Amino acid sequence: FSKYSVQSHLTAISVMSPSNYIKSRDLSQKQPQHASNIYFATLVDGRPYLPNLRVDATNDQSVCRAALATVVISAYVSIISSPSSSAAFVANVTESTNNDDTAADSTAKNDNGETNDDGQLTILNLQKVDWEALISQSLTRLTCTKVTGGITNALVRVSGFRDLIPSIKSAVDALLSEHNCNDTTHTSTTSTDIASIIDYNSLLLRIFGAEGMIDRDVETSTYAALCNVSIAYRYLGRFQNGRIEGWLEGFRPLTVEDLQEEPTSLEIAREMARLHCLFEVPEGELREHHCGKRASADGEENGEAQAGLWDQLTSWMEQAKGYTEFRTPGDTERVKSLQLHDIERELRQILERFSVTRPQTPMGTSQHSTA
């Protein structure tokens, strides 16, 4: 990581808060309505979140807009989150947000985007950048390549960021100029500074699918937590219907044939075991979602974790059974061929085999397990 790396800042975020995504979306609707409002951004889990910026997977300009904006803001956050800049950042957010009554009432004065005691959030002041000019000048230097292998998401590789370092530097400097009156440490950068932060040429843009089936707030907060401890690779930020992740150079998706090979399956099992043995879900909302709260004999919550897998599988099965028609006739026919009743029976057998206690769920199965 570079000298402006946000890693040490991120590892200090011990409580991940998926609900801050909801608060950010609510807050974005209270802002003055103008064209630049698509670049309204808060910090959630230490990364920028742009709730008004929606991406069209079929439109390269839309894809590049989200990718470039996220790269610039992520670099800016990396710099202002360095220990020498934190106090000045707090002061700057206070000053800039007090110029808008709505924002001032809804914005925290901390530097990591997490909820304060009063439930407020940090808004990033991004008005110094001419976003449309930056994006129009950069479009011809970025390339978009569709990536196969996604199950519910549309995936796009965006490349060419190393060639844009001068432009990105100018944008970051414009954002840093807001700190001139409070912080003389980082009023501008050099190309070397930016190059040490943007140590990649490609990124992966993920556009969410399967609306309603997957809680993307919890999923993204979980992904951020995994990145914080270097289990997942890289997470730069999120937009309305997706997020920006690191691109792994030299890798390819596994094929069905790969998955049928025993050495591959064993390696996947080892990595999954490593994940479950070494990673502890951060305390707070995220832990409660994944692990729940188990009550002791006297009715007090003792914080003992319980598996969330069974609840998730049961929820998905109930959702699948609840639909008779899907988006296309072809999808409806495919679902019929799945024989959901047989799958439900197999799922019930798995739950009964591995469950310790058996409180009733909609499927008549257990939700607690030692697995």
Side-chain angles (χ1 to χ4, degrees):
F1 293 94
S2 71
K3 67 178 182 180
Y4 292 140
S5 171
V6 75
Q7 181 70 8
S8 60
H9 167 68
L10 294 175
T11 54
I13 300 175
S14 58
V15 178
M16 315 301 283
S17 302
S19 67
N20 279 353
Y21 288 113
I22 300 174
K23 295 173 184 175
S24 296
R25 289 192 288 272
D26 292 341
L27 189 56
S28 72
Q29 300 305 310
K30 299 177 182 178
Q31 303 306 302
Q33 296 301 309
H34 46 71
S36 64
N37 204 34
I38 63 172
Y39 299 106
F40 170 85
T42 63
L43 281 177
V44 181
D45 297 332
R47 279 86 167 183
Y49 174 42
L50 292 87
N52 296 332
L53 181 57
R54 186 171 183 84
V55 174
D56 178 357
T58 65
N59 186 312
D60 286 355
Q61 180 173 347
S62 177
V63 169
C64 290
R65 178 195 304 275
L68 185 56
T70 302
V71 166
V72 170
I73 301 169
S74 177
Y76 168 59
V77 169
S78 295
I79 295 173
I80 62 177
S81 297
S82 63
S84 59
S85 294
S86 293
F89 175 55
V90 174
N92 183 62
V93 171
T94 303
E95 180 179 347
S96 62
T97 56
N98 280 341
N99 293 328
D100 186 302
D101 292 339
T102 302
D105 290 341
S106 307
T107 307
K109 281 69 179 180
N110 60 4
D111 67 336
N112 60 13
E114 300 314 303
T115 306
N116 276 2
D117 292 338
D118 56 2
Q120 297 175 326
L121 286 170
T122 295
I123 294 178
L124 294 173
N125 188 341
L126 308 176
Q127 298 177 4
K128 285 287 186 178
V129 174
D130 186 342
W131 292 104
E132 296 310 314
L134 171 65
I135 290 164
S136 63
Q137 294 166 7
S138 305
L139 280 177
T140 58
R141 305 174 75 175
L142 291 174
T143 58
C144 298
T145 307
K146 296 292 189 295
V147 179
T148 60
I151 299 175
T152 62
N153 303 316
L155 305 174
V156 183
R157 177 185 182 180
V158 185
S159 303
F161 294 102
R162 300 293 291 179
D163 291 337
L164 292 177
I165 284 179
S167 299
I168 294 171
K169 173 193 177 307
S170 297
V172 172
D173 285 347
L175 295 175
L176 288 173
S177 68
E178 287 293 299
H179 296 262
N180 283 348
C181 62
N182 297 305
D183 178 20
T184 58
T185 305
H186 300 311
T187 56
S188 64
T189 62
T190 67
S191 294
T192 302
D193 294 332
I194 297 300
S196 66
I197 297 172
I198 304 174
D199 57 350
Y200 49 82
N201 193 49
S202 298
L203 290 173
L204 180 70
L205 184 140
R206 180 184 302 273
I207 300 174
F208 299 145
E211 294 180 12
M213 285 193 66
I214 300 172
D215 187 325
R216 298 300 184 179
D217 295 337
V218 170
E219 179 197 62
T220 302
S221 199
T222 303
Y223 186 73
L226 291 169
C227 288
N228 289 354
V229 293
S230 299
I231 291 178
Y233 177 50
R234 176 177 279 167
Y235 164 45
L236 277 78
R238 180 179 170 186
F239 48 92
Q240 183 185 108
N241 59 327
R243 63 175 179 256
I244 308 290
E245 304 172 11
W247 174 264
L248 289 166
E249 296 287 352
F251 289 76
R252 64 171 177 81
L254 292 173
T255 64
V256 174
E257 291 73 24
D258 291 330
L259 294 172
Q260 292 172 343
E261 296 177 358
E262 184 173 347
T264 302
S265 297
L266 289 175
E267 188 61 30
I268 292 172
R270 290 189 190 97
E271 288 302 310
M272 291 300 295
R274 174 176 172 269
L275 167 66
H276 287 287
C277 290
L278 300 181
F279 177 67
E280 183 174 349
V281 181
E283 295 288 345
E285 288 180 39
L286 199 59
R287 187 172 184 82
E288 290 174 15
H289 174 85
H290 287 297
C291 305
K293 292 182 177 179
R294 183 176 295 173
S296 59
D298 59 4
E300 295 294 326
E301 292 174 347
N302 58 19
E304 183 179 351
Q306 60 193 33
L309 174 63
W310 306 145
D311 289 340
Q312 184 67 81
L313 291 175
T314 299
S315 172
W316 281 345
M317 177 55 68
E318 292 304 310
Q319 288 185 59
K321 290 166 54 183
Y323 289 95
T324 56
E325 292 186 3
F326 293 81
R327 289 186 176 180
T328 67
D331 286 342
T332 301
E333 291 303 314
R334 287 173 60 197
V335 171
K336 289 179 180 178
S337 68
L338 290 176
Q339 300 179 342
L340 288 178
H341 291 293
D342 291 341
I343 296 175
E344 181 181 14
R345 184 179 65 255
E346 294 176 9
L347 177 57
R348 183 183 295 113
Q349 292 171 350
I350 292 172
L351 293 173
E352 291 175 347
R353 178 177 179 182
F354 290 103
S355 297
V356 176
T357 58
R358 291 175 170 76
Q360 295 298 303
T361 68
M363 290 177 56
T365 56
S366 170
Q367 60 180 347
H368 300 324
S369 169
T370 58

